[in-house]
Amino acid sequence: MMFKYPWVFCLFALYVPLLWWYFKRTKTSTPTLGFSSLRAFENLPRSWKEYLMKFSFLLKLIAIACLIVALARPQTTDSKSSTRIEGTDIVLAIDISGSMASTDFSPNRFEAAKEVAVNFVNQRVNDNLGLVVFAGESLSLMPLTYDRAAVINTLQNVKLGDLNDGTAIGDGIASAINRLVSGKAKSKSIILLTDGTNNAGEVPPSTAAEIAKQKGIKIYTIGVGTNGVIHITDPYGFSTTVLETKIDEESLKSIADQTGGKFFRAKDEKVLQKVFDEIDKLEKTALDVEKYSRVDEAFMPWVLAALCCYALSMLMRYTILRRLP
C-alpha cells in the first residue's frame, strides 16, 4: 500500500492539544464533595461508566486517525517492480529492389530477410522501432513505435515491386534518419539491408552517412546474397530473368565505419540470422524503470471505520453515558 498525500499525516500533531484538553477537562469536571475524612470511601470500586467515558474518547481519537489516513489517499497496486531494461531507437531500412527476388536464399532473398527481420523485431521488447523500404526511391512505412505487432504486420505486407526498381541506398538512409530524429532514446541506429550498389536516388550514401554521424546515429550495414549471376523468377513462376549483381562492400563498410556501426556479409539464411543476433547484442542501452500496474483507491474502508467509531461514541454518549435523565 502507498499514500498519494503522505504529508497529511502531519495532522496527527493535533493529538497533542486534544489529549492536553481531555486530561485538563477530566480533572476540572470531576464532581467533588467535602468530607472530614475519605477513608470510608477508599475501598469503593470505580464505576464502569468511568471506563466507558474514557473508551468513548478513545473511539473519537480512532475516528480522527482513520479520517487522517483516508485523507492521505491510501492506494493499492497489483504489482510494483523496479527493473533494469535495455532499449533503444531502431529503424530497419530494407532493400526491395528487383534483385531481392534472387533464389540463392530460400525462397528468395527478400522473403528470407523479412523472416529474419520479424524474428529480430520480436526480440526487441523495449525498443522503439520504425520501418523504411527502398528501391529506386525510398518510402517510410512505419514511424517509431513500441507496437511490435504493427511493425511486424507492416513488414509482412511489403511486396517486391511496390516501388520503382533501382537501389537508392542514400535515400533509404535519409528516410531512416528523418524517423530517428524524433526519437527520445540516447542510442539510435539504422539497420540497412541491401544486395546491390547505389544506382538511384537523390542523396549519395556518403552524404547520408555524414548526416547520420552528425545526429549520433549508428548504421549497421548488411550485404545480402552472393555476387555474380542470379536468377529471378516472377511471382507466378512463368519466366526467369538472369542478372549479374555485385554488392558494393567498400561503400557499405565506409558507411558503417563512418557512423560507428559495423558491416556484415550474409551469404545464406543462417549467416543472416547470426548477423541480426549479433546486432541484437550490440545495440542495447540500459535504463532503470519502475513499473506499476492498476492502482486502486483504498480510502473508503478508513472512512467507514471513522464513521463507525464516531457513531458508536455518540450512541454511548446519548444512551448509557447521558448526564441528564
Side-chain angles (χ1 to χ4, degrees):
M1 180 179 290
M2 61 182 182
F3 297 91
K4 189 172 184 179
Y5 308 122
W7 54 266
V8 173
F9 287 117
C10 294
L11 293 175
F12 275 111
L14 293 173
Y15 273 53
V16 176
L18 281 174
L19 291 171
W20 176 83
W21 170 82
Y22 176 74
F23 288 115
K24 184 178 180 181
R25 176 176 173 273
T26 302
K27 288 183 179 181
T28 57
S29 63
T30 302
T32 59
L33 182 63
F35 288 91
S36 59
S37 175
L38 296 176
R39 289 182 179 178
F41 303 97
E42 286 181 354
N43 296 324
L44 288 177
R46 290 191 175 188
S47 172
W48 57 273
K49 287 189 177 182
E50 184 179 350
Y51 293 104
L52 280 182
M53 289 180 66
K54 293 180 179 179
F55 179 65
S56 176
F57 179 70
L58 179 62
L59 284 175
K60 291 177 182 177
L61 292 181
I62 294 174
I64 293 173
C66 290
L67 191 59
I68 291 173
V69 174
L71 289 173
R73 292 282 296 278
Q75 298 173 332
T76 59
T77 58
D78 288 345
S79 65
K80 174 185 176 181
S81 60
S82 180
T83 57
R84 191 167 182 82
I85 65 171
E86 297 176 328
T88 183
D89 291 342
I90 299 176
V91 171
L92 298 172
I94 299 178
D95 188 348
I96 61 168
S97 60
S99 58
M100 289 292 287
S102 173
T103 56
D104 54 346
F105 281 60
S106 178
N108 58 46
R109 292 177 180 176
F110 179 63
E111 292 300 328
K114 279 205 302 185
E115 183 179 351
V116 175
V118 166
N119 292 335
F120 176 80
V121 171
N122 272 323
Q123 294 173 3
R124 307 298 295 194
V125 179
N126 302 304
D127 294 326
N128 220 359
L129 299 167
L131 178 63
V132 168
V133 294
F134 63 93
E137 54 192 337
S138 66
L139 177 64
S140 180
L141 292 179
M142 180 63 64
L144 288 175
T145 178
Y146 290 104
D147 190 345
R148 289 177 296 152
V151 176
I152 291 172
N153 184 59
T154 302
L155 181 58
Q156 289 177 333
N157 287 327
V158 176
K159 297 178 181 178
L160 295 176
D162 286 347
L163 298 175
N164 293 328
D165 204 15
T167 306
I169 295 176
D171 285 10
I173 295 174
S175 295
I177 292 172
N178 287 334
R179 285 303 187 191
L180 283 170
V181 292
S182 63
K184 296 181 180 180
K186 292 182 180 180
S187 176
K188 304 176 187 293
S189 57
I190 298 170
I191 300 177
L192 177 77
L193 188 148
T194 183
D195 70 340
T197 303
N198 187 77
N199 57 21
E202 300 178 357
V203 182
S206 58
T207 301
E210 180 61 31
I211 296 172
K213 180 181 178 181
Q214 293 174 3
K215 300 290 184 181
I217 299 171
K218 290 182 285 186
I219 303 178
Y220 296 95
T221 55
I222 305 173
V224 182
T226 56
N227 291 326
V229 177
I230 61 171
H231 300 272
I232 302 174
T233 304
D234 70 79
Y236 304 101
F238 295 126
S239 62
T240 300
T241 304
V242 179
L243 293 176
E244 185 173 355
T245 62
K246 182 178 181 181
I247 298 172
D248 189 354
E249 294 188 19
E250 291 300 321
S251 177
L252 295 179
K253 285 180 181 177
S254 175
I255 292 170
D257 293 341
Q258 191 174 351
T259 60
K262 192 173 181 179
F263 169 71
F264 300 91
R265 190 74 171 85
K267 296 183 179 181
D268 57 49
E269 295 92 324
K270 291 182 179 179
V271 175
L272 183 59
Q273 181 62 61
K274 290 180 180 178
V275 166
F276 272 90
D277 289 342
E278 183 171 348
I279 294 174
D280 180 58
K281 295 177 183 178
L282 289 172
E283 204 47 48
K284 292 194 175 182
T285 302
L287 301 170
D288 289 320
V289 176
E290 281 194 342
K291 294 183 179 180
Y292 298 86
S293 64
R294 209 184 76 179
V295 176
D296 293 324
E297 298 289 347
F299 65 88
M300 188 54 68
W302 295 95
V303 173
L304 293 176
L307 289 174
C308 290
C309 289
Y310 186 75
L312 181 58
S313 175
M314 290 296 100
L315 181 64
M316 293 169 58
R317 177 181 176 182
Y318 290 105
T319 54
I320 56 179
L321 295 178
R322 65 181 180 180
R323 298 187 178 184
L324 298 175

